[in-house]
Amino acid sequence: MSSWAPLLAFLLGLLLSIAEGNHYEGHWLGQPCLPGQPCVLAFISNNPVVLRCPRSSYRGHITWQYLDPSWTDEQPLTFLRSGGTSWPLFSHDKLQRLRFKSRLIAGTGSLYISSPSREDSGLYTCRAGDATLAYYEVDFQDAERLHVSHAELGEASLGNVTVPLDQGAQATLFTSWSPWQSCNRCGHPGERKQVGFCYAQLTTMDSEGEMPMPCGMARQKYPTLPQRGPELRIETCQVRCVTSYLAGQEEPHWVPFLVFTNYHPQLKATAHLRCPASSIYR
């Protein structure tokens, strides 16, 4: 077998998973995200996500820009663009790493990030010339701090916690839950999942409470804010096998074939095996 075969198999599997998979577009509180308006989103790291660029198909060349909130006196910098083979020059190593894990979804201009890390949190903008089509403040919450609870095992989700901050301020940390995912079986007992994200409600002495924000963003304002991760809770479920349920499910017992290859890690070395189509959101 050619030495290129494992690599080609991996790339083919990855492309199929991107083309066929359901992309997660983030969790927000308050008003839904509107085109051209700032949008605050929370995600969980190491899981693929999509940032949409509305009306980009009518605008010609698209550029995606990024700004780390810790970069002072800098403007958003381009790390990905359509309509050309040349890449922008990167003034930060972080932009280069972000470029290699990102791609544009064909025909939409939307941004696909395959495996975002917590350090990729920041400001993302989609632009066409001088026009800003989308503006996102993104918090990638640490998957390694994920709190998992199963109701049938008597495990509880995290409760609200109020902590004092500097200058008389205080913060209430809580979990904002996304909708329950569908039951994974019909006609028999199954399970369903719900993903939750850490949010902080900040209150100062001279003002009323601010709009809740993802904990990573709140920690930029108050570095002493305690660490708290996202959540995943699981409960049993049972639904009837009706037509509407079956239409939204994959063929029972069918497992997609994505990647088959051999790895030969060194003894006592750390190895990471990833499933290209896997996601906590489905």
Side-chain angles (χ1 to χ4, degrees), residues 107-267:
T108 69
S110 296
L111 176 66
Y112 174 90
I113 308 177
S114 59
S115 183
S117 65
R118 184 171 57 88
E119 291 74 21
D120 294 327
S121 300
L123 308 179
Y124 290 80
T125 53
C126 178
R127 298 179 61 85
D130 294 331
T132 298
L133 305 183
Y135 177 96
Y136 299 97
E137 298 182 54
V138 177
D139 181 29
F140 291 112
Q141 303 191 358
D142 193 355
E144 294 187 2
R145 290 184 173 272
L146 182 70
H147 177 83
V148 181
S149 58
H150 198 304
E152 300 304 315
L153 300 178
E155 299 169 341
S157 56
L158 299 176
N160 295 358
V161 177
T162 300
V163 295
L165 300 173
D166 298 335
Q167 301 176 350
Q170 68 176 20
T172 299
L173 305 183
F174 65 95
T175 298
S176 179
W177 295 97
S178 62
W180 282 100
Q181 299 172 18
S182 59
C183 194
N184 64 351
R185 299 183 68 186
C186 71
H188 300 277
E191 291 183 336
R192 64 176 186 169
K193 300 183 299 182
Q194 188 177 33
V195 179
F197 302 87
C198 178
Y199 271 73
Q201 174 73 65
L202 302 176
T203 305
T204 60
M205 294 183 62
D206 55 356
S207 67
E208 298 181 357
E210 302 178 18
M211 181 69 184
M213 65 180 68
C215 290
M217 297 179 185
R219 196 169 294 108
Q220 294 169 10
K221 299 179 65 174
Y222 295 96
T224 60
L225 194 70
Q227 294 282 346
R228 173 169 166 151
E231 292 197 66
L232 176 68
R233 61 184 178 188
I234 306 168
E235 68 175 18
T236 57
C237 56
Q238 186 164 350
V239 297
R240 296 171 54 198
C241 292
V242 296
T243 303
S244 59
Y245 175 87
L246 295 174
Q249 305 300 309
E250 295 177 343
E251 182 180 346
H253 311 301
W254 178 80
V255 178
F257 180 82
L258 292 176
V259 178
F260 177 78
T261 187
N262 296 318
Y263 294 94
H264 302 282
Q266 297 180 353
L267 291 176

Side-chain angles (χ1 to χ4, degrees), residues 10 24 30 38 43 57 69 74 78 80 92 95 100 103 108 136 148 159 165-166 188-189 204 206 222 260 277:
F10 174 79
Y24 186 68
F43 297 93
S57 57
E74 288 204 40
T78 298
L80 192 63
H92 294 274
L95 289 177
F100 279 112
R103 64 182 289 271
T108 69
Y136 299 97
V148 181
L165 300 173
D166 298 335
H188 300 277
T204 60
D206 55 356
Y222 295 96
F260 177 78

Side-chain angles (χ1 to χ4, degrees), residues 61-107:
H61 296 325
I62 297 298
T63 61
W64 276 93
Q65 298 180 331
Y66 172 80
L67 179 64
D68 188 318
S70 66
W71 296 347
T72 58
D73 302 324
E74 288 204 40
Q75 297 296 317
L77 301 174
T78 298
F79 69 94
L80 192 63
R81 62 188 175 201
S82 65
T85 57
S86 61
W87 291 359
L89 297 176
F90 298 119
S91 56
H92 294 274
D93 291 340
K94 185 174 184 178
L95 289 177
Q96 185 168 351
R97 292 193 298 269
L98 187 58
R99 168 65 183 87
F100 279 112
K101 66 175 72 173
S102 305
R103 64 182 289 271
L104 294 178
I105 297 179

